[in-house]
Amino acid sequence: MQQHAQDESDESEVRRALASFVPLLQSLDPTARVQCYTSDAVFVQPGAAPVRGHEEMLVRNVTVLHDVTLEPERIEVRGDLAHAFGWFNCGVDTPDGQRVEWPAHFLMVLRKEPEGAWRIAREFITPTA
């Protein structure tokens, strides 16, 4: 019974961390987004080379995101690692000023950092059909 309660507590922590990422992902400050990620994080999306670490993220992930939602379907926690699978949605502005919706599935591996914060260590995202 004790382990079950701990598992639920850990899952709730990760769920809260995911929710806290939303305003950071929408921020106009490019350094805010990297706060969601570990310093050695890897971000993978279709049609692009993996983005590795904070420095590359600041250079390559410059698209402003609007109306971000992260809806985890499943979260599993094992010690200081967790994985979350679910749906991601956001609005992205096109060069001609239109805003398009970008729905996707995500798989994230999160790591609990020494100061206690959960951050994304690996993220794979793919558009939904």
Side-chain angles (χ1 to χ4, degrees):
M1 208 58 161
Q2 179 70 16
Q3 183 60 43
H4 180 69
Q6 182 62 45
D7 291 347
E8 287 180 4
S9 173
D10 291 342
E11 182 180 328
S12 293
E13 259 187 49
V14 171
R15 194 172 295 279
R16 282 191 302 276
L18 291 170
S20 75
F21 297 159
V22 171
L24 298 172
L25 293 171
Q26 297 178 131
S27 176
L28 296 178
D29 175 5
T31 61
R33 192 179 304 183
V34 300
Q35 294 175 39
C36 302
Y37 296 89
T38 62
S39 61
D40 64 342
V42 178
F43 173 80
V44 178
Q45 65 182 1
V51 180
R52 299 175 186 277
H54 287 175
E55 287 182 28
E56 257 188 70
M57 287 179 178
L58 288 171
V59 173
R60 292 188 41 206
N61 286 346
V62 295
T63 302
V64 176
L65 307 178
H66 305 277
D67 304 318
V68 172
T69 59
L70 279 172
E71 297 178 24
E73 176 185 319
R74 182 158 178 90
I75 296 172
E76 290 187 30
V77 181
R78 300 286 183 268
D80 65 348
L81 291 175
H83 72 265
F85 168 79
W87 294 272
F88 170 85
N89 194 50
C90 70
V92 178
D93 294 336
T94 63
D96 64 357
Q98 302 295 312
R99 184 164 295 167
V100 295
E101 189 173 336
W102 200 75
H105 288 104
F106 72 84
L107 176 62
M108 296 177 184
V109 176
L110 296 99
R111 183 170 61 223
K112 193 170 197 174
E113 298 287 270
E115 80 281 0
W118 286 96
R119 291 197 173 84
I120 304 164
R122 304 291 181 267
E123 181 177 5
F124 297 85
I125 193 163
T126 187
T128 56

